[in-house]
Amino acid sequence: MELKTLFSDIADAIREKTGTTDKIVASDFPSKIRSITTGGGSGEIPNYKWVNLNMTSNTTPAPYVADSSTTYIDSDKNTYEAYKAFDGLLLGGRGTCFYSAENKRWLQIYFGKGVKCSIIRFYPAESYVPFFPKQIAIFGSNDGKNWIKIADSGSVATAPEKGEWREVYISIPFAYHYYKFEFSDAYNGTAQTILSEVEFYADGL
C-alpha cells in the first residue's frame, strides 16, 4: 500500500470515529488516535473483554468467516480447518486444532463489522507445542485486500509452556473487519504451524 493511501485511510478512520468531516493533517494523527483509543471522539468508553468466537464451521455462526492458507487433511482423514482456531476448544488433539504446512502460512478471521482489538492471544496445541510459531505478525483490513501490519510478537526464544497463552499487544487499536495472522517457522524448525486456539481482547464483539 502506498504511503499516501495509508494516510488517507487513517484520516478516513479518524473522521468516522469522531463524526467530523474536517480535513485532518498528518501532524494531528497522534492526538486524534489517542483520543479515539481512550474513549474520546464520540464520548464512548471502549468496552474491552476477552472473546472466543465458538465457531462450528468456517462460516458458523454468522457473520464470522474463517479462512487460511490451506486446509490440512491427515492420513486418518482428520481435517484441520481454519475455524478450529476459533472453536473454543483447548484440547489440541488430532483434528481439533488449526494446522498448516505451507511455506507462507496464514490464518484469517472476518467479523462482519469493525472490531477493535488491543490484545490477541494464541494457545498452543498441547500435544504439538514444538509446532507453535516463533513469530506471529498481525494485519488488519476493512476490505480483505488492503492490509496494514498492526502488531508483531517478535521472535521469541522459547516456546510457550503447555497451558500457557502467548499474547500479542496492539499498541494503537483501530476497528477492522478482518484480522490476519502470518506465522514464522515453528520451534522445531519446520515450516509448519499448529495452534489450538485464538482469542481476542476486543471492543465491539
Side-chain angles (χ1 to χ4, degrees):
M1 176 182 291
E2 294 183 358
L3 189 59
K4 182 178 179 181
T5 302
L6 174 60
F7 283 165
S8 177
D9 287 348
I10 293 173
D12 287 344
I14 292 172
R15 280 191 285 267
E16 178 183 353
K17 290 297 182 182
T18 58
T20 183
T21 58
D22 297 339
K23 180 179 179 181
I24 301 173
V25 297
S27 59
D28 289 338
F29 284 1
S31 62
K32 296 291 186 181
I33 291 170
R34 282 194 295 271
S35 173
I36 294 169
T37 57
T38 56
S42 65
E44 296 179 359
I45 299 174
N47 181 29
Y48 286 103
K49 59 184 178 182
W50 283 110
V51 176
N52 188 287
L53 305 182
N54 295 313
M55 297 186 72
T56 55
S57 78
N58 281 343
T59 56
T60 309
Y64 306 143
V65 179
D67 195 8
S68 62
S69 51
T70 186
T71 297
Y72 183 76
I73 303 175
D74 67 21
S75 58
D76 295 325
K77 307 302 181 183
N78 294 303
T79 59
Y80 299 79
E81 298 100 325
Y83 83 89
K84 291 184 178 179
F86 310 106
D87 62 4
L89 301 176
L90 300 181
L91 303 175
R94 291 170 68 85
T96 67
C97 51
F98 166 72
Y99 177 28
S100 180
E102 292 186 338
N103 286 331
K104 293 185 177 181
R105 297 167 304 285
W106 54 267
L107 175 67
Q108 178 180 306
I109 187 67
Y110 169 65
F111 287 124
K113 62 178 179 178
V115 173
K116 189 186 300 182
C117 298
S118 62
I119 310 171
I120 299 176
R121 64 184 182 183
F122 303 81
Y123 194 81
E126 294 192 359
S127 301
Y128 304 98
V129 172
F131 291 90
F132 193 85
K134 287 184 178 180
Q135 188 167 355
I136 302 170
I138 301 177
F139 299 80
S141 174
N142 282 320
D143 61 7
K145 298 178 181 178
N146 298 294
W147 296 91
I148 299 173
K149 188 175 182 180
I150 57 176
D152 196 307
S153 69
S155 183
V156 184
T158 58
E161 300 290 337
K162 288 185 178 181
E164 178 185 7
W165 292 87
R166 175 148 295 167
E167 296 182 345
V168 182
Y169 291 80
I170 300 171
S171 58
I172 303 179
F174 273 107
Y176 293 104
H177 289 68
Y178 296 81
Y179 285 81
K180 179 188 281 188
F181 317 110
E182 294 186 357
F183 307 111
S184 71
D185 287 352
Y187 282 95
N188 61 6
T190 63
Q192 301 178 71
T193 296
I194 302 181
L195 293 174
S196 178
E197 203 65 29
V198 181
E199 290 187 345
F200 305 87
Y201 194 57
D203 173 35
L205 281 176

